[in-house]
Amino acid sequence: MRRIVLAAASTVAVLVLLLGFKSQSAPPVTKPSAASSSGTSSTSGSSSSSSSTGSSGTGSAGTGSTTGTKTVTGDAADTRYGPVQVKITAVNGKITSVDAIDYPQNDPRDQEINSFAIPQLNQEALAAGTANIDVVSGATYTTDGYIQSLQSALDKLKA
């Protein structure tokens, strides 16, 4: 009888300690700073029409022959954990900046995942110049939303 009481008491004590344990929270993540103001689309200089290449969602998108600076914000893509939105800047038809301006940051896990995923996605998109980029392991939903918004921005840039 004494053993049963001792086992029950130790089990309860262990459960209380486990349930009361708080894991270390990740430091807050700040959104990457945007290179320019948060306008949806701004154009300086003149632009000429560009030939349209057929693309299916995440294919390549040519930037055409545009002069001046143009900043375009893609449509927000809804994901399981929240919206993802991308803004691109092109100078003389060449993409010079790609920034995620909105992405999931609701809880510490979102912040942890996106603190490494967003800079990697920005870098890959800038290097590729298209929406044909690799999925970041562990951030599949964010990557899918990023690619959708990036393709939307590239389509707006061509228009």
Side-chain angles (χ1 to χ4, degrees), residues 107-123:
D107 58 46
R109 183 69 178 144
D110 289 342
Q111 294 172 3
E112 180 183 356
I113 290 169
N114 291 324
S115 69
F116 75 88
I118 296 297
Q120 189 172 348
L121 290 167
N122 289 340
Q123 183 180 9

